[in-house]
Amino acid sequence: MITLEDWALIRRLAAEGVPKARIAERLGISRTTVLKAVRSDSEPRYERAPTESSFVAFEPRVRALLRETPDMPATVLAERVGWTGSITWFRAGVKQLRPEFRPIDPADRLTWDPGDAAQCDLWFPPKKIPLEDGTAKLLPVLVITPAHSRFMVGRMIPTRTTEDLLLGSWELIQQLGRVPRRLIWDNEGGIGRGHRPAAGVAAFMGTLATKLVLLPPRDPESKGVVERRNGWFETSFMPGRELVKSFV
């Protein structure tokens, strides 16, 4: 059985028009497996007992070295911390940590192709929303902005849980009328942190044949389009408006 990540990748590549034979060759699987993944209506289901990587024990020392020298090669890091296992596993662990310690390039410029990516974020109105039970609460607004067109869609959701974030995303994507190739998020707990999507998120992305991009810390340029839209909500949308009762 293929992994959930491979299933999602197969569906995304197939949606982009990549030949099935090439997908099979790229992933090292049979063409029949690729066909089954494309035709399946739901993600593969399996349970695997969580295991702790051997890299975890070395992570604090690696972090300390990267804090001093962010660009220290993985081979040197391995020698300094006394790593004796596979260098491939060690490199993978270092690759996940290194972006946290590299300074942001102030001259970084991003270009966005049509249909390639949509930036996702939560905006919180500066006033509490009156609810039907007589209470008031700060409710998040899910905002999705295609990075090329800057077209903006948003919807207030009741919570920041995975279920409400995915349902809100689906409703906003239906308003867009197209599925972007990538959905870009930063560290929103209900979507995922680091390189680990929250439970159910990978299946959602695979069903839509899109790719989830979880941004590293301190990378504001990669989500600046939607964050500027949030600023517009604050300065141009909210002034002079009254918030009506919500039945969320």
Side-chain angles (χ1 to χ4, degrees):
M1 178 182 294
I2 61 173
T3 66
L4 181 61
E5 290 76 13
D6 284 346
W7 175 81
L9 177 60
I10 289 169
R11 292 177 59 84
R12 179 173 65 83
L13 293 174
E16 293 177 356
V18 179
K20 296 178 179 59
R22 186 175 300 174
I23 297 175
E25 180 181 358
R26 172 175 171 177
L27 298 181
I29 57 179
S30 68
R31 189 170 180 271
T32 301
T33 302
V34 174
L35 290 172
K36 289 181 179 179
V38 173
R39 294 171 180 171
S40 63
D41 296 327
S42 61
E43 72 278 7
R45 299 181 182 274
Y46 66 97
E47 293 185 359
R48 182 174 59 187
T51 58
E52 186 177 89
S53 168
S54 56
F55 181 79
V56 172
F58 295 84
E59 184 174 324
R61 296 165 65 189
V62 172
R63 285 182 176 273
L65 290 170
L66 288 176
R67 194 173 293 112
E68 295 286 337
T69 312
D71 294 323
M72 182 178 292
T75 51
V76 179
L77 287 167
E79 181 181 354
R80 296 284 181 87
V81 302
W83 174 267
T84 58
S86 167
I87 191 62
T88 301
W89 285 104
F90 189 83
R91 288 183 191 274
V94 172
K95 184 178 180 181
Q96 293 184 12
L97 297 180
R98 198 183 297 278
E100 300 181 23
F101 301 94
R102 278 179 171 161
I104 298 172
D105 181 3
D108 188 23
R109 298 291 297 273
L110 298 176
T111 58
W112 305 99
D113 295 326
D116 175 52
Q119 299 178 11
C120 310
D121 200 10
L122 293 179
W123 171 69
F124 289 86
K127 299 180 182 179
K128 292 184 177 181
I129 309 298
L131 304 178
E132 59 178 340
D133 61 1
T135 63
K137 185 178 180 181
L138 287 175
L139 296 177
V141 176
L142 174 61
V143 183
I144 297 181
T145 302
H148 176 77
S149 69
R150 269 58 169 179
F151 183 78
M152 175 180 57
V153 290
R155 181 180 182 86
M156 184 169 286
I157 57 178
T159 71
R160 299 170 68 174
T161 61
T162 301
E163 292 80 4
D164 288 330
L165 288 168
L166 295 185
L167 178 59
S169 297
W170 171 239
E171 292 177 344
L172 294 181
I173 288 173
Q174 289 185 87
Q175 292 183 36
L176 291 175
R178 297 289 188 276
V179 180
R181 297 186 186 95
R182 298 182 294 158
L183 294 179
I184 300 177
W185 279 92
D186 56 13
N187 288 314
E188 179 61 40
I191 296 296
R193 295 186 184 279
H195 294 276
R196 298 180 180 178
V201 174
F204 177 79
M205 300 298 167
T207 300
L208 295 182
T210 188
K211 179 182 180 181
L212 172 65
V213 178
L214 295 173
L215 297 176
R218 298 185 293 277
D219 188 15
E221 294 93 342
S222 296
K223 203 159 63 64
V225 174
V226 69
E227 290 181 352
R228 283 192 289 273
R229 294 299 182 272
N230 291 349
W232 177 85
F233 283 138
E234 297 278 355
T235 60
S236 302
F237 177 78
M238 282 301 301
R241 292 182 183 271
E242 293 293 332
L243 301 177
V244 298
K245 183 179 295 186
S246 171
F247 293 91
V248 172

